[in-house]
Amino acid sequence: MTSARMIKALLLTPLAVAAVAATLSACNRDKDKAAAPASAPAATVTETPASAGAPFGYKSETPYATVELKLPEAVRNQPDLHVRLYSESVKDLKAFVEGAQADRTEAGGDQGMPAYESLITFDTPVETGKLFSLARSDYEFTGGAHGNTAYTGVLWDKAMKRPVTAAGLLKPGVALSALDGLLCTAVNAEKRKRDPQAETVSLNPKDASGWSCPHAADTPIVLAPSTEPGKAGGLVFLVGPYQVGPYAEGAYQVPVPQAAIRSLLAPAYADEFAGAPVMPKG
């Protein structure tokens, strides 16, 4: 090798070494990338209907029907119940609108008839440590002299996040019929508050008065507010018009004090009751 070639080789050698080193470094980086675990995807928070909340009202007007739903602010603290009540009620209202349209179609048109109406209202919230209750009223007008109102009671176990039946408030083996006599006595007391001369009704079907007391098993129940905060003062039976008197008498909210039923209450819920019932005036 000539001296010129030797010098050229010596000059090229560092460049070659550097190129090889760069190539090896790049390969190593590729290997490191392949070996490194893939970064975990960002956690996604799935928003459930309950966590997203639900509206406190719904309203729809068509040529066939006007429908509306009203929920109290107090239900906000029970999101699972809130969503349940909202979705079920809106479903009922939409079915009512469809039924109204079908009625008009079968009748061959409106024929000057006013639109049907349906109003679902949840109110009178009562809350204890374990329980939450609401009264539901369904007003419907489908023609005639006046509309009709039906009542439903909502009882909710806050910890279990599920409904509680009226019978579930009582000890195992105790039937709601055990409350029939207490309910009948309370009904007569409420009737006499409105009319001191009101005739007494009994459990006998259509006795001399022409009316009879309802059975506890057939009557919606909610919790009664109490003189003791955080407790229920008893049970309130929701008695609709026509049940214990003429339509003009209207509906009744009939309280039965917890002291009268305490021995019948299930151990799981007995401590939720104390004090005396406090009923709204009017």
Side-chain angles (χ1 to χ4, degrees):
M1 178 180 295
T2 64
S3 59
R5 287 181 179 177
M6 289 179 64
I7 293 171
K8 186 176 182 180
L10 290 172
L11 291 173
L12 288 175
T13 299
L15 295 175
V17 170
V20 171
T23 301
L24 290 175
S25 177
C27 291
N28 288 336
R29 284 198 301 270
D30 291 341
K31 287 181 181 179
D32 290 341
K33 288 181 181 179
S39 59
T44 56
V45 178
T46 302
E47 192 171 51
T48 65
S51 64
F56 290 87
Y58 171 85
K59 189 171 185 178
S60 172
E61 295 184 21
T62 73
Y64 311 104
T66 297
V67 299
E68 187 174 2
L69 165 67
K70 296 180 180 179
L71 285 159
E73 182 70 22
V75 80
R76 181 188 297 276
N77 295 329
Q78 310 301 324
D80 294 273
L81 176 62
H82 185 181
V83 170
R84 181 186 184 119
L85 295 180
Y86 180 84
S87 60
E88 291 179 353
S89 299
V90 170
K91 181 179 179 181
D92 291 343
L93 292 175
K94 289 181 177 180
F96 181 86
V97 173
E98 292 176 1
Q101 183 174 357
D103 284 354
R104 299 304 178 87
T105 302
E106 291 177 6
D110 288 348
Q111 299 178 341
M113 297 169 59
Y116 288 180
E117 295 178 41
S118 180
L119 170 62
I120 298 176
T121 305
F122 291 89
D123 56 17
T124 60
V126 177
E127 184 172 2
T128 71
K130 292 182 180 178
L131 297 170
F132 182 83
S133 85
L134 290 168
R136 168 176 168 164
S137 63
D138 287 62
Y139 169 81
E140 291 187 0
F141 173 77
T142 56
H146 54 73
N148 291 304
T149 304
Y151 297 92
T152 310
V154 177
L155 293 172
W156 184 256
D157 187 308
K158 298 191 298 183
M160 301 300 290
K161 296 183 179 180
R162 68 184 184 189
V164 180
T165 64
L169 294 175
L170 305 181
K171 291 178 179 178
V174 175
L176 280 170
S177 58
L179 304 180
D180 285 351
L182 294 170
L183 173 58
C184 195
T185 299
V187 164
N188 282 299
E190 291 300 310
K191 285 176 69 69
R192 282 190 290 272
K193 285 181 182 179
R194 298 188 187 184
D195 179 7
Q197 305 303 318
E199 291 189 58
T200 300
V201 293
S202 70
L203 287 166
N204 296 322
K206 303 300 180 183
D207 57 15
S209 68
W211 306 97
S212 61
C213 286
H215 291 277
D218 302 324
T219 310
I221 296 174
V222 295
L223 300 178
S226 175
T227 53
E228 187 170 329
K231 300 292 183 179
L235 298 175
V236 177
F237 290 81
L238 307 176
V239 181
Y242 285 133
Q243 288 191 262
V244 296
Y247 184 84
E249 284 190 12
Y252 284 89
Q253 294 186 14
V254 183
V256 173
Q258 62 86 22
I261 60 173
R262 189 156 194 84
S263 63
L264 306 176
L265 294 172
Y269 297 118
D271 289 344
E272 304 306 297
F273 293 81
V278 179
M279 299 301 294
K281 297 180 180 180

